[in-house]
Amino acid sequence: MTDAEYRREEFTTDDEDPTASWDWYLSNRQGSVGLAFRAEEFRSDAYAQNVGRFQIVRFSSAAVDYRRSRRNIRADEGDNSYRLLIPLRGRFEFEQGDSREIFQPGKIGFFHWNRPLFMTHDDTISALIMTVPEGSIDPRRAEDAPLALDEKRPLVRALDAQVRLLVEAEGWTAADFSVAFSGALMLLDGVLNPFPAVGSGTRAADAERARRLIEEHANDRAVTPRAIAAILGISEPTLYRALKRAGYPSPGAMLRAVRVERAHRRLSAALPVDMDRIAFEEGFPSTRRFRESYREHYGRTPAETREDLFGDGGG
């Protein structure tokens, strides 16, 4: 049983020492960041919501430079999370590694919190910043992610809408908020590593049919690569070749990934969990195999994910 609660708080910089109060707030809500204030009369405010590590903050700020150095990163030792940034008003510049982008409403950013970064803006801005906990999305996808997401893709627009909903809706409970937050993470996972477009031809159609079968029936332990090939009326080697040409993983790898990711979404809700039941209902042959597959995919055990998100090993 998790004791995670839904919490929200509002913040406004202190009139007597606004810069010090903003520095304090960022350190407590995001982590260590170096600030260089450039507005004559600095003001900022924020509205934060969270369930465990699932956090989203809406903030506005007068002109300031934000720099997260290696020293800041060391001060937050062990925080390997990411951030999703959705501008609401204004224009600001962002740099991380070799990537440099100008962000404004309509353009979404995704960045590593455990790497140096620099952000600056000349005028007052407002934005949403969503914490993406380590292990909450596929680490390989996160590692290779671009700084700016492609705003022309419908899936990116769906992600934008889902994150805004978290802030705009009222009446959240811990369970509802964590489920909606997990939905945003699922969209983000798809944005960062979409399946490639499949070309034309018979084998391309077989690959798409195989993908749909896997996604629809992955929780059935009787669904195997051999069973999928039989349903399609092709041999297993032909199925493997069709998927490879389409840019997909092997059918066995796709089955494991779908099962693990669905189990992960259940672990990411602030509700009691039963590992044996999750393993059984998501199509794993045993709880032990579920734990092994989960660790291979996310780099941590299911219990470690629960502990990190909600302070609860989850059984």
Side-chain angles (χ1 to χ4, degrees):
M1 175 73 71
T2 178
D3 60 356
E5 297 179 359
Y6 169 74
R7 297 183 175 89
R8 63 181 182 177
E9 67 175 12
E10 296 185 17
F11 169 86
T12 302
T13 47
D14 182 73
D15 290 338
E16 295 185 2
D17 197 345
T19 57
S21 62
W22 186 233
D23 182 55
W24 173 87
Y25 182 79
L26 287 176
S27 296
N28 280 273
R29 271 290 163 210
Q30 299 295 340
S32 179
V33 183
L35 303 174
F37 297 94
R38 297 192 287 112
E40 291 185 7
E41 295 185 2
F42 181 80
R43 288 291 182 273
S44 187
D45 59 72
Y47 170 59
Q49 300 172 91
N50 77 287
V51 172
R53 293 285 306 283
F54 287 168
Q55 174 181 270
I56 184 166
V57 178
R58 180 183 63 208
F59 73 96
S60 64
S61 168
V64 63
D65 296 342
Y66 300 85
R67 186 180 298 277
R68 184 161 165 82
S69 65
R70 297 191 183 282
R71 181 177 179 180
N72 297 128
I73 293 169
R74 287 195 296 272
D76 297 332
E77 185 178 1
D79 186 350
N80 296 314
S81 58
Y82 301 84
R83 299 291 186 273
L84 189 72
L85 184 67
I86 299 181
L88 301 176
R89 181 183 62 163
R91 176 181 182 277
F92 49 95
E93 299 176 22
F94 198 106
E95 299 178 10
Q96 185 166 67
D98 296 329
S99 299
R100 290 168 177 77
E101 297 285 348
I102 294 176
F103 288 100
Q104 53 196 4
K107 192 168 187 177
I108 300 178
F110 178 79
F111 58 95
H112 302 245
W113 191 240
N114 65 337
R115 293 181 183 175
L117 62 86
F118 176 74
M119 185 179 85
T120 184
H121 55 96
D122 296 326
D123 301 309
T124 297
I125 63 161
S126 60
L128 304 179
I129 185 164
M130 174 178 148
T131 298
V132 180
E134 179 186 12
S136 62
I137 58 176
D138 189 313
R140 292 158 295 188
R141 301 177 187 183
E143 184 68 22
D144 299 330
L147 181 57
L149 306 182
D150 181 1
E151 66 272 18
K152 292 188 282 298
R153 289 181 58 203
L155 196 59
V156 174
R157 296 197 296 272
L159 172 62
D160 184 309
Q162 181 74 2
V163 174
R164 289 171 187 262
L165 174 68
L166 288 164
V167 175
E168 295 167 359
E170 298 181 354
W172 290 115
T173 63
D176 285 356
F177 184 84
S178 61
V179 168
F181 201 104
S182 296
L185 294 174
M186 181 178 66
L187 289 169
L188 175 60
D189 219 10
V191 165
L192 299 184
N193 188 27
F195 282 124
V198 177
S200 59
T202 302
R203 293 298 168 241
D206 287 338
E208 275 300 280
R209 289 178 61 202
R211 180 186 64 80
R212 288 196 299 270
L213 284 169
I214 288 170
E215 291 181 347
E216 291 171 7
H217 303 289
N219 60 342
D220 185 347
R221 281 180 296 283
V223 174
T224 63
R226 178 177 294 179
I228 292 167
I231 293 172
L232 295 176
I234 60 178
S235 67
E236 273 194 79
T238 299
L239 172 62
Y240 275 80
R241 287 194 296 270
L243 290 172
K244 184 176 182 179
R245 287 172 186 168
Y248 290 126
S250 70
M254 289 179 71
L255 275 167
R256 286 191 297 275
V258 171
R259 287 166 176 164
V260 165
E261 288 167 11
R262 288 180 178 174
H264 177 73
R265 290 199 290 274
R266 295 176 65 172
L267 293 172
S268 299
L271 295 167
V273 297
D274 182 326
M275 296 294 179
D276 294 334
R277 182 174 180 177
I278 289 176
F280 176 79
E281 292 180 348
E282 297 305 331
F284 291 94
S286 67
T287 304
R288 180 181 65 81
R289 185 56 188 147
F290 162 52
R291 290 192 170 102
E292 290 173 351
S293 297
Y294 189 95
R295 184 160 194 161
E296 289 171 6
H297 194 85
Y298 288 104
R300 54 175 57 194
T301 66
E304 288 169 341
T305 289
R306 291 287 293 186
E307 176 66 31
D308 183 58
L309 294 178
F310 307 120
D312 174 16

